[in-house]
Amino acid sequence: MSEVYKLIIIGSGPAGFTAGIYSGRAELKPLLFAGEKQGGQLINTAMVENWPGAEKGIMGPELMMQMRKQAEKFGAEVIDKKVSKVDFSKRPFKIWVGGEEFQAEAVIIATGAENRMLGVPGEKKLLGKGVAVCAVCDAPFYKNKKVLVIGGGDSAVEDALVLTKYADKVIMLVRKDVLRASKIMAEKVKNNPKIEILWNSELKEIVGENRVEKVRMVNNKTNEEKELAVDGVFLAIGHKPSTEIFKGQLELDEKGYVKTSENTTMTSVEGIFAGGDVVDFKYKQAVTAAGMGCMAALDAEKWLEKNYV
Ligand code: NDP
């Protein structure tokens, strides 16, 4: 029989690592599965200017590395592997990483959310060949090129700004006539001479054999279609929760987010807690995710005290 951990945390974004810090300090010796790429969405973010305490800003990967070290300092064991299956039907709860089985008395789910795709022809085929989801990672490949950014939220605006450091021209394709992004970020793109915004515009197709060559788009007000030659297409149209492995195990809402009960982080299964973007479709901030990770750890600690003296 394998060791039964008091607490297993699944996920390594701000929610997961904060849960690791709190439960580590509570001497629960948590085991944290970080996935194959630790750090959640902030690992793909450049400068984070709204993390309280980091007055001068902090780079996303640096912030995540600090969180990991802080969790490890307090006794969290971090494994850089991805959970493939869970069984929450009875206690101890079971968690598999490939063929390896782990058991826990309580679990915190902090698996976050992933990039949404458009589903247009050419997108899948050209992913990694000009179609990209991470400007911070891929922008240097577009030196002196012309790129398109899809979306009008903070991610799209941030991607467009990162790309201006390399590309000659950045065109934002926004399906409405306003940006959803925060005002301060929206002003930055509007004032950047390298960025052009095409309003009321939607992508129809990405064309290319082995590389992106051009796109087909439509103006959703006039129905006018046009083609545009570009070297890259960066998708920044939001996220979907990473909850595939929890289907049938926990109650999820219609969009796939984990449901928690009012005023607590407890899910539909007693002993399973959740926090961060996997739960939150509204705020989606690193600091709110971290807050929810803290709440989940405190809830789990209390629940463990009550149920496993
Ligand atoms: P958002 O959901 O905020 O924005 C998604 C954008 O993509 C919207 O403009 C939306 O258009 C557009 N969109 C969605 N689906 C489609 C589609 N099928 N075709 C075309 N356009 C589409 O996602 P973000 O990833 O930008 O941001 C998520 C959260 O993270 C936000 O709360 C944001 O503030 C935060 N964030 C903060 C950052 C920071 O502080 N540094 C950096 C990045 C994100 P529409 O408006 O029409 O719905």
Side-chain angles (χ1 to χ4, degrees), residues 11-15 17 34 37-48 59-61 63-64 110-116 133-137 154-155 158-159 236-242 257 276-278 280 283-286 289:
S12 62
F17 281 141
K37 195 173 137 204
Q38 71 122 17
Q41 291 175 49
L42 279 188
I43 212 80
N44 298 328
T45 302
M47 186 57 84
V48 182
M59 298 304 279
L63 177 59
M64 296 323 297
T111 46
E114 62 190 53
N115 294 290
R116 276 191 187 286
V133 291
C134 172
V136 173
C137 322
D154 278 322
S155 298
E158 196 176 83
D159 284 3
I237 58 165
H239 303 91
K240 64 169 186 248
S242 304
Y257 289 89
D277 285 10
V278 75
D280 169 29
Y283 300 102
K284 296 178 277 187
Q285 299 300 299

Side-chain angles (χ1 to χ4, degrees), residues 7 15 19 107-109 265 273-275 291-301:
L7 178 67
V107 176
I108 293 176
I109 295 168
T265 58
F273 303 83
M292 282 190 264
C294 157
M295 288 156 67
L298 294 176
D299 287 343
E301 185 189 350

Side-chain angles (χ1 to χ4, degrees), residues 12-18 21 38-55 57-72 285-290:
S12 62
F17 281 141
T18 305
I21 293 165
Q38 71 122 17
Q41 291 175 49
L42 279 188
I43 212 80
N44 298 328
T45 302
M47 186 57 84
V48 182
E49 291 183 327
N50 52 10
W51 184 255
E55 186 205 348
I58 182 165
M59 298 304 279
E62 161 78 17
L63 177 59
M64 296 323 297
M65 193 42 81
Q66 285 187 15
M67 282 193 208
R68 177 182 179 137
K69 283 188 184 152
Q70 199 174 350
E72 286 174 332
Q285 299 300 299
V287 68
T288 49

Side-chain angles (χ1 to χ4, degrees), residues 6-288:
K6 276 206 168 314
L7 178 67
I8 288 183
I9 299 164
I10 311 176
S12 62
F17 281 141
T18 305
I21 293 165
Y22 272 76
S23 55
R25 292 190 79 232
E27 299 188 341
L28 294 177
K29 295 191 173 59
L31 175 64
L32 188 154
F33 288 107
E36 279 146 8
K37 195 173 137 204
Q38 71 122 17
Q41 291 175 49
L42 279 188
I43 212 80
N44 298 328
T45 302
M47 186 57 84
V48 182
E49 291 183 327
N50 52 10
W51 184 255
E55 186 205 348
K56 295 190 175 114
I58 182 165
M59 298 304 279
E62 161 78 17
L63 177 59
M64 296 323 297
M65 193 42 81
Q66 285 187 15
M67 282 193 208
R68 177 182 179 137
K69 283 188 184 152
Q70 199 174 350
E72 286 174 332
K73 183 175 102 179
F74 292 119
E77 182 188 344
V78 181
I79 297 183
D80 291 294
K81 286 184 179 166
K82 198 173 167 175
V83 170
S84 48
K85 196 172 95 171
V86 297
D87 181 358
F88 295 157
S89 62
K90 57 180 184 294
R91 295 187 225 151
F93 303 117
K94 290 193 173 72
I95 286 169
W96 285 269
V97 172
E100 210 176 340
E101 184 189 300
F102 296 83
Q103 299 189 57
E105 288 164 358
V107 176
I108 293 176
I109 295 168
T111 46
E114 62 190 53
N115 294 290
R116 276 191 187 286
M117 305 298 281
L118 282 169
V120 296
E123 177 186 54
K124 232 182 191 168
K125 181 178 106 175
L126 295 165
L127 188 63
K129 296 172 182 167
V131 175
V133 291
C134 172
V136 173
C137 322
D138 294 350
F141 299 125
Y142 294 87
K143 212 165 184 316
N144 306 326
K145 308 252 185 217
K146 185 169 164 184
V147 294
L148 202 63
V149 175
I150 318 295
D154 278 322
S155 298
V157 162
E158 196 176 83
D159 284 3
L161 290 169
V162 167
L163 282 158
T164 56
K165 292 184 189 149
Y166 304 92
D168 277 347
K169 174 104 188 156
V170 179
I171 299 165
M172 289 185 74
L173 218 63
V174 180
R175 67 179 174 180
K176 287 188 184 146
D177 58 5
V178 285
L179 290 173
R180 183 197 285 250
S182 52
K183 283 206 171 65
I184 187 166
M185 296 290 276
E187 281 312 306
K188 281 188 188 174
V189 291
K190 285 179 184 167
N191 294 329
N192 191 310
K194 275 192 176 179
I195 301 176
E196 181 188 351
I197 304 177
L198 297 180
W199 305 104
N200 302 309
S201 299
E202 291 179 37
L203 201 64
K204 297 276 280 183
E205 187 180 355
I206 307 171
V207 183
E209 264 319 303
N210 294 311
R211 288 290 311 168
V212 169
E213 289 160 19
K214 62 181 178 180
V215 293
R216 290 202 177 94
M217 62 178 87
V218 63
N219 182 304
N220 57 28
K221 282 273 187 286
T222 62
N223 287 330
E224 186 197 339
E225 294 200 14
K226 71 171 176 185
E227 286 189 0
L228 189 69
V230 290
D231 303 293
V233 178
F234 284 78
L235 304 168
I237 58 165
H239 303 91
K240 64 169 186 248
S242 304
T243 51
E244 203 54 43
I245 55 169
F246 307 120
K247 278 185 185 159
Q249 299 283 331
L250 294 172
E251 266 184 45
L252 307 177
D253 73 7
E254 65 286 351
K255 285 188 175 153
Y257 289 89
V258 175
K259 278 191 180 176
T260 51
S261 41
E262 221 174 306
N263 295 326
T264 129
T265 58
M266 181 91 85
T267 66
S268 57
V269 175
E270 224 193 285
I272 310 282
F273 303 83
D277 285 10
V278 75
V279 172
D280 169 29
F281 51 85
K282 186 174 173 192
Y283 300 102
K284 296 178 277 187
Q285 299 300 299
V287 68
T288 49

